[in-house]
Amino acid sequence: MAQKRAPLEYNRMWQIRAWLFAVFFFLYAPLVALIAFSFNDSKRTTVWRGFTLRYYEKLFGNESLLTAFANSLTIAFVATLISLVIGALAAVLLWRYRFMGRTVVEGAFTLPLVVPEICMGVAMLLFFTRVLPWPNNLIWPFNLGSIIIAHVSFCFPFVALVVGARLASFNKEQEEAARDLGANDWQAFRDVLLPHIHPALIAGGLLAFTLSLDDFVITFFTSGPDTVTFPVKVYSMLRFSVTPEVNAASTMLILLTIVLMVVMMAMQSRAQKKTKG
Amino acid sequence: MTGHAKALRTSRRSILKGLGAAAIGISLTGTKRSAWAAEEPKLNFYNWDTYIGETTLEDFTEASGIDVNMSLFATNDELFAKLRAGNPGYDVIVPGSEFVERMIQADLLEPLDHAKIPNIKNISPEFMTDAPFDPGRKYSLPYTWLVIGVGYRKSKVKEVPNSWKWLFNSDAYAGRIAVMSDASELFRNCFKYLGQSLNDASPELLKQAEEMLTKQKPNIKAFHEDNGQDLLLSGEVDVVMEYNGDIAQIMKEDDDIDFVVPQEGAMRQQDTLAIPKGAPHPENALKFINFIFEPETGKGITETILYPSPNAAAVALMPEAYRDNKVIFPPADVMAKCEYPNYLGPEFSRLLDEAMTRLRAS
Amino acid sequence: MATRTQERRLAFLATALPPIVWVVVFFLAPLAIVWAYSFGQNVSLTEVDISGTFANYARALEPLYLGIFAKSIFVAGITTLLCLIVGFPVALAIVFASERWRPWMLMLIMLPFWTNLLIRTYALIAVLRTEGYANFTLEWLWNQGSWLMTLVGLQPLGEFTPLQMLYNNFAVVVGLVYVHLPFMVLPLYAALDRLDKSLIEASLDLGAGQLRTLYSIVVPLALPGIISGIIITFVPALGAYLTPDLLGGPDSQMIANVIERQFKRANDWPFGAALSFLLMYATFGAIAMRAYFSRGKPADGHGI
């Protein structure tokens, strides 16, 4: 008799496996093409002409592209961190407390999701030139401040939403029990809530990082002469078409991301081992 | 002392610190702008991507000691939208001729002191006199010029498509046509096809053009945003409405491609150099502009971007293949029928945009 | 020594102030400026006079623009639905994967999305275009099929005509799904992860089939996550403009493209503001309605 598969082992079902495979293929096929074309011996990325490494050489010599890279990464990191804090606080606020004007606050937190990007970009432009002028001569990284602020504004609702969904399934009684046992609010938060929303923070943080890294419209309107980011640089190449140099840059970005994630996961598993052991 | 009050004390201190830092920052910015101080050797250049020679910026830094920081924009609209609320710190910008007129009207440009740009003598004289968008070239100087026409794949067309008819009013190339998605460029070249001037701001003419294009729409494969040359090169389309410089660039990679300016005439433009109001380094900007018009510099730029150059001295230094290239320098008789677009006012711009929205929605 | 209530208040303020202050200063204030613009008109090329006029809204409600709104909602809706269908099994697979595999799978889902949107879109173009990889593969398969037919003695298949997979609405939907998939998978994962697996086991033990279990147990429990996923996918899809711009055909215009043109080419910021806010009111209304209807229901099955 064939061995009965355990009921919850969905991943053994061939349908699920086939589905996963198809989805990953769909996601990665264009990327493989992208990486392949970074070795294309032609100024265009649409027709293959031969193998070359010269675009990688060009990339490492292209200071402005590398600076734009660095700017994008910095902005994404800082904006993600701030978004996590503000987003988590927003989610906890709405979940835990009942107060006057609660629906209005909830609405205000959801609004950034709904605003068309270009509208927000123009709003930020007007704000930072007319209402709160951001000085132009700050040294790095403070000159990225206006961009970071704008990014946090549209990223944190995503974090709040993901954390909120997670909190919705949390049993309040656990937290109240902790408090009855003598913990104060901060301890209850740190030792009971935080571990629970941990996966949501990771998911939300990833989402925020992605959004920030890729943002073009809002960044365009809030950036100045010294603060070019990677998407802005790439988008401005549109007029003369995307050269393989940009593909090379993206390949490097992907590699960098993989390295970062591996490091992060190694650190996380070590931390988990410590708590378990 | 309760935790509450302690928190307040520390926050007050940090506010004062912050204010102090801001004050220093503001005062520093103040001194930078004061008249007696020499400009720091820096220049913020806002340009299109790869729209400069390979070594131009380094050459300038070597010659003058001024460090150039080039940032990029992708369309004239973005440039205008960004500068509209106030100059975030750019010294030299590269607006298209139609936008120069808008910016002059909106008082966004500094007048250029020609006395400080002796290399103006290198510019072909007709560019200094024939500039309806900036009479007397008070605010802008020509960087490159371009003309819109039809790029095509020689092996796929029955005859040279030297009329707008093939793009706007015929199904000979159904499904293999790409036109520009910009309302002004598309509709106003239609005006040329309909036998009128592209500066004719009459709503009836616009309506006629819109109807014609709506009828033609099933034959159009794509409305491209300045990447028409890619569509042609990759074989998506066989005839495309594009700038001569873009087509000249891909002709280097594919012999089967050619370009022609339609006999009815077309829209011609210039990309110009200008100094926006509020530029932090205006003197450096003038020096930079003067440098661009050196013959050697012009040559370096033109070799890279292959657009027609208004710098006569630079053109003289270019190889014959460039000067005789009919794509880069279309024949004079058809250029005579080409016009510069004037800014036709906000009301007509609104009509143009609505016509485009209707066309796309139909 | 702080009293309990004082400490509670402090905790409340510490939780409430940062997000609220941030939203007010760095979001609502800038937005208010643009909102004011929607009631204004252009007096010159750069100045807007806020005259309290409703003309912009009146224009935005014309059938031309309403039609575009409707079309955008339709396209975004299809995209969201597809993302849900495609993404749900993926999220399920990740949740039930072993501890070792799970982070890798999450990373694999996220990785494409850390690539720049423009570049990814160009890569998609390379796949979908007439002489792109998809057609290339299809042509090869077609020719193999043809060859097989001749082997068997039948007539070979005719000439292969490449599929037009680009510059049409199909490409726009594919592109949008491609971009928005992780926005669906991540919230689903976060919600499914919390699921009490013993409930599923119980259901299966009691004789319900896989699909029934899915339908009656998993989906209701994961509903908050599904709804967040739907919102996070639908709203940005509605506001997408790069994807329809680059991948779309002559009639693939979405509302965000029109809005973008107002702020740029047409230089009509008041009208652009009016269109944007109309879009926002509508979307916001939909979200508010869902919040209103889901009030009072227990959020999880633990209330049993």
Side-chain angles (χ1 to χ4, degrees):
Chain A
M1 197 154 82
Q3 188 194 39
K4 220 46 202 319
R5 181 182 33 80
L8 286 179
E9 284 186 4
Y10 284 114
N11 290 355
R12 291 272 192 89
M13 285 166 68
W14 71 266
Q15 295 101 322
I16 295 277
R17 282 195 170 172
W19 193 267
L20 265 182
F21 180 73
V23 170
F24 281 121
F25 181 74
F26 169 64
L27 287 179
Y28 279 91
L31 282 185
V32 169
L34 173 86
I35 298 180
F37 270 107
S38 65
F39 299 107
N40 187 18
D41 193 4
S42 152
K43 269 179 89 174
R44 316 265 145 188
T45 56
T46 41
V47 185
W48 179 263
R49 291 222 185 275
F51 186 91
T52 177
L53 278 176
R54 66 180 161 114
Y55 287 103
Y56 282 93
E57 290 171 31
K58 263 190 107 178
L59 168 69
F60 288 114
N62 187 343
E63 238 194 80
S64 61
L65 198 61
L66 292 175
T67 321
F69 230 39
N71 281 340
S72 279
L73 286 175
T74 316
I75 294 172
F77 269 122
V78 178
T80 304
L81 282 174
I82 304 182
S83 301
L84 278 175
V85 170
I86 297 195
L89 286 177
V92 170
L93 175 72
L94 290 176
W95 172 79
R96 193 199 261 187
Y97 296 103
R98 308 228 165 269
F99 51 94
M100 200 175 65
R102 199 196 129 134
T103 2
V104 176
V105 171
E106 187 170 359
F109 288 160
T110 329
L111 210 52
L113 290 176
V114 180
V115 178
E117 277 200 303
I118 188 149
C119 187
M120 187 137 160
V122 170
M124 289 293 166
L125 172 73
L126 290 170
F127 184 72
F128 282 117
T129 43
R130 304 253 172 111
V131 177
L132 190 70
W134 197 265
N136 283 328
N137 306 323
L138 299 174
I139 50 161
W140 189 93
F142 294 105
N143 59 351
L144 299 170
S146 56
I147 306 180
I148 295 178
I149 291 177
H151 279 214
V152 172
S153 293
F154 78 82
C155 282
F156 91 83
F158 287 91
V159 176
L161 207 59
V162 174
V163 173
R166 177 85 169 175
L167 280 174
S169 59
F170 183 62
N171 200 339
K172 272 200 188 146
E173 287 153 22
Q174 282 186 333
E175 205 209 353
E176 283 172 19
R179 268 206 280 225
D180 288 340
L181 286 171
N184 64 22
D185 271 324
W186 167 245
Q187 284 170 328
F189 179 74
R190 188 188 61 198
D191 296 326
V192 180
L193 267 188
L194 215 50
H196 177 78
I197 59 176
H198 190 232
L201 282 179
I202 301 218
L206 284 176
L207 214 50
F209 193 81
T210 312
L211 289 170
S212 169
L213 204 60
D214 215 16
D215 178 69
F216 164 70
V217 186
I218 299 184
T219 319
F220 173 78
F221 282 107
T222 43
S223 62
D226 287 322
T227 55
V228 184
T229 65
F230 189 64
V232 174
K233 167 106 186 156
V234 169
Y235 189 70
S236 62
M237 293 168 78
L238 182 64
R239 175 156 178 198
F240 290 96
S241 172
V242 180
T243 65
E245 199 175 333
V246 178
N247 287 25
S250 304
T251 311
M252 295 268 74
L253 186 63
I254 293 176
L255 276 175
L256 184 73
T257 312
I258 295 181
V259 166
L260 273 175
M261 292 238 54
V262 168
V263 165
M264 225 174 69
M265 287 196 299
M267 286 193 341
Q268 206 185 27
S269 64
R270 207 179 309 146
Q272 269 180 346
K273 281 204 195 109
K274 265 202 213 143
T275 50
K276 282 195 183 140
Chain B
M1 201 173 300
T2 63
H4 224 52
K6 200 156 168 213
L8 275 176
R9 275 265 309 266
T10 27
S11 61
R12 213 180 294 142
R13 216 178 287 148
S14 49
I15 292 176
L16 284 173
K17 240 200 279 185
L19 278 175
I24 297 175
I26 294 172
S27 58
L28 274 181
T29 5
T31 43
K32 279 204 172 79
R33 308 266 173 95
S34 66
W36 61 267
E39 276 179 16
E40 50 159 3
K42 222 176 152 250
L43 183 83
N44 290 324
F45 182 34
Y46 204 31
N47 193 9
W48 308 76
D49 186 47
T50 63
Y51 214 38
I52 193 80
E54 301 253 344
T55 56
T56 313
L57 299 179
E58 288 96 56
D59 293 341
F60 178 66
T61 311
E62 240 184 79
S64 66
I66 300 174
D67 200 23
V68 183
N69 172 22
M70 180 164 120
S71 333
L72 310 171
F73 64 90
T75 61
N76 275 307
D77 320 313
E78 284 174 12
L79 173 65
F80 188 79
K82 250 190 125 176
L83 287 178
R84 201 186 121 135
N87 182 356
Y90 298 111
D91 297 305
V92 180
I93 56 176
V94 189
S97 44
E98 192 185 347
F99 277 81
V100 171
E101 198 176 342
R102 270 205 214 186
M103 289 171 129
I104 296 176
Q105 277 189 23
D107 198 27
L108 290 174
L109 297 179
E110 285 278 351
L112 297 175
D113 187 353
H114 287 199
K116 294 211 176 117
I117 314 177
N119 281 331
I120 282 190
K121 62 182 188 328
N122 289 335
I123 305 178
S124 306
E126 66 260 25
F127 290 102
M128 297 302 289
T129 50
D130 178 28
F133 47 88
D134 179 18
R137 307 285 353 199
K138 281 212 289 275
Y139 295 94
S140 68
L141 287 174
Y143 185 51
T144 64
W145 60 272
L146 336 82
V147 68
I148 300 183
V150 181
Y152 62 97
R153 188 167 281 280
K154 293 192 282 215
S155 54
K156 292 280 176 71
V157 299
K158 300 183 223 52
E159 51 176 291
V160 174
N162 66 346
S163 161
W164 286 122
K165 167 172 84 172
W166 303 110
L167 274 91
F168 298 152
N169 205 9
S170 138
D171 57 3
Y173 300 110
R176 311 291 297 168
I177 301 176
V179 296
M180 289 175 155
S181 58
D182 182 85
S184 170
E185 286 167 358
L186 181 58
F187 285 112
R188 289 163 84 166
N189 280 300
C190 283
F191 293 178
K192 293 297 279 185
Y193 172 63
L194 294 170
Q196 305 296 333
S197 157
L198 53 79
N199 287 319
D200 188 349
S202 80
E204 300 79 40
L205 191 57
L206 180 58
K207 196 148 180 289
Q208 229 189 328
E210 189 193 327
E211 276 165 14
M212 177 177 73
L213 282 176
T214 312
K215 214 168 55 113
Q216 176 73 345
K217 199 170 139 188
N219 297 327
I220 298 178
K221 186 165 189 188
F223 286 84
H224 73 84
E225 267 216 28
D226 246 342
N227 65 337
Q229 71 271 22
D230 280 335
L231 294 175
L232 190 62
L233 189 62
S234 63
E236 286 293 320
V237 295
D238 296 325
V239 284
V240 69
M241 181 180 178
E242 253 291 1
Y243 287 104
N244 58 338
D246 288 335
I247 303 287
Q249 283 181 355
I250 57 166
M251 278 169 72
K252 275 202 301 190
E253 304 200 16
D254 190 335
D255 292 325
D256 195 19
I257 294 190
D258 207 345
F259 174 85
V260 69
V261 178
Q263 64 201 12
E264 299 96 350
M267 187 188 277
R268 62 183 300 193
Q269 306 236 24
Q270 279 177 27
D271 279 333
T272 66
L273 295 170
I275 303 181
K277 276 218 157 73
H281 315 100
E283 292 297 314
N284 292 352
L286 287 167
K287 288 197 200 124
F288 183 68
I289 296 180
N290 193 39
F291 180 74
I292 295 272
F293 290 114
E294 295 271 335
E296 279 300 323
T297 321
K299 174 164 178 274
I301 295 174
T302 316
E303 273 170 350
T304 315
I305 65 181
L306 280 187
Y307 268 54
S309 168
N311 186 339
V315 172
L317 291 176
M318 288 291 289
E320 259 191 55
Y322 169 79
R323 282 176 288 162
D324 293 340
N325 190 330
K326 286 277 162 283
V327 172
I328 299 181
F329 293 103
D333 55 345
V334 78
M335 285 309 294
K337 299 218 202 78
C338 297
E339 299 171 276
Y340 286 107
N342 295 336
Y343 176 54
L344 296 172
E347 188 52 38
F348 198 69
S349 298
R350 207 186 74 127
L351 290 175
L352 272 175
D353 179 74
E354 269 205 349
M356 183 52 118
T357 310
R358 267 197 302 271
L359 177 64
R360 295 296 296 259
S362 65
Chain C
M1 191 61 98
T3 64
R4 192 75 184 178
T5 16
Q6 246 191 330
E7 189 217 62
R8 282 245 144 130
R9 281 211 69 216
L10 195 62
F12 172 68
L13 284 176
T15 319
L17 278 182
I20 294 186
V21 169
W22 189 280
V23 161
V24 169
V25 176
F26 292 123
F27 180 69
L28 290 178
L31 214 59
I33 305 178
V34 183
W35 186 71
Y37 270 32
S38 74
F39 295 108
Q41 56 206 39
N42 278 329
V43 286
S44 76
L45 283 166
T46 50
E47 289 307 314
V48 175
D49 170 44
I50 301 175
S51 53
T53 169
F54 280 94
N56 295 312
Y57 284 103
R59 193 172 153 213
L61 288 172
E62 284 171 9
L64 172 66
Y65 297 104
L66 284 181
I68 302 178
F69 267 115
K71 177 167 184 194
S72 310
I73 293 179
F74 180 66
V75 172
I78 295 192
T79 305
T80 311
L81 191 65
L82 283 175
C83 281
L84 189 58
I85 296 177
V86 172
F88 197 84
V90 176
L92 214 56
I94 299 181
V95 161
F96 285 104
S98 64
E99 284 288 331
R100 207 168 60 96
W101 282 106
R102 200 177 311 170
W104 290 103
M105 290 176 77
L106 266 180
M107 185 187 96
L108 280 180
I109 285 283
M110 290 309 296
L111 204 55
F113 305 92
W114 290 19
T115 320
N116 184 267
L117 176 66
L118 198 70
I119 300 175
R120 253 185 293 148
T121 314
Y122 271 88
L124 257 186
I125 292 179
V127 169
L128 292 175
R129 63 196 165 94
T130 314
E131 292 174 13
Y133 304 126
N135 274 320
F136 193 67
T137 321
L138 285 173
E139 188 171 2
W140 183 82
L141 285 173
W142 183 271
N143 291 337
Q144 298 306 97
S146 210
W147 174 77
L148 274 174
M149 302 270 271
T150 49
L151 261 186
V152 182
L154 295 166
Q155 286 284 42
L157 302 164
E159 179 85 25
F160 174 72
T161 38
L163 293 176
Q164 293 300 336
M165 290 184 288
L166 198 55
Y167 304 119
N168 51 26
N169 291 321
F170 171 77
V172 175
V173 174
V174 168
L176 285 175
V177 170
Y178 190 74
V179 171
H180 290 96
L181 198 56
F183 293 148
M184 182 60 87
V185 171
L186 283 179
L188 281 180
Y189 161 73
L192 283 172
D193 190 49
R194 185 60 200 153
L195 211 58
D196 189 350
K197 305 192 178 41
S198 58
L199 289 173
I200 304 183
E201 277 182 23
S203 160
L204 289 170
D205 281 343
L206 287 170
Q210 292 283 7
L211 276 178
R212 181 100 191 276
T213 310
L214 206 72
Y215 189 66
S216 314
I217 307 283
V218 177
V219 170
L221 288 177
L223 206 55
I226 295 182
I227 299 209
S228 332
I230 290 182
I231 294 181
I232 299 189
T233 311
F234 180 77
V235 177
L238 192 59
Y241 83 93
L242 255 184
T243 311
D245 218 10
L246 291 172
L247 296 174
D251 62 351
S252 304
Q253 179 181 233
M254 288 179 61
I255 192 67
N257 298 111
V258 179
I259 295 179
E260 188 227 350
R261 271 214 302 277
Q262 302 312 313
F263 280 113
K264 291 198 196 168
R265 225 335 166 166
N267 199 33
D268 193 350
W269 287 16
F271 186 52
L275 280 173
S276 310
F277 273 90
L278 218 54
L279 181 66
M280 284 196 282
Y281 299 149
T283 329
F284 199 59
I287 298 182
M289 269 203 323
R290 99 86 185 161
Y292 179 75
F293 281 120
S294 69
R295 189 171 291 207
K297 290 200 190 121
D300 57 351
H302 289 231
I304 303 166

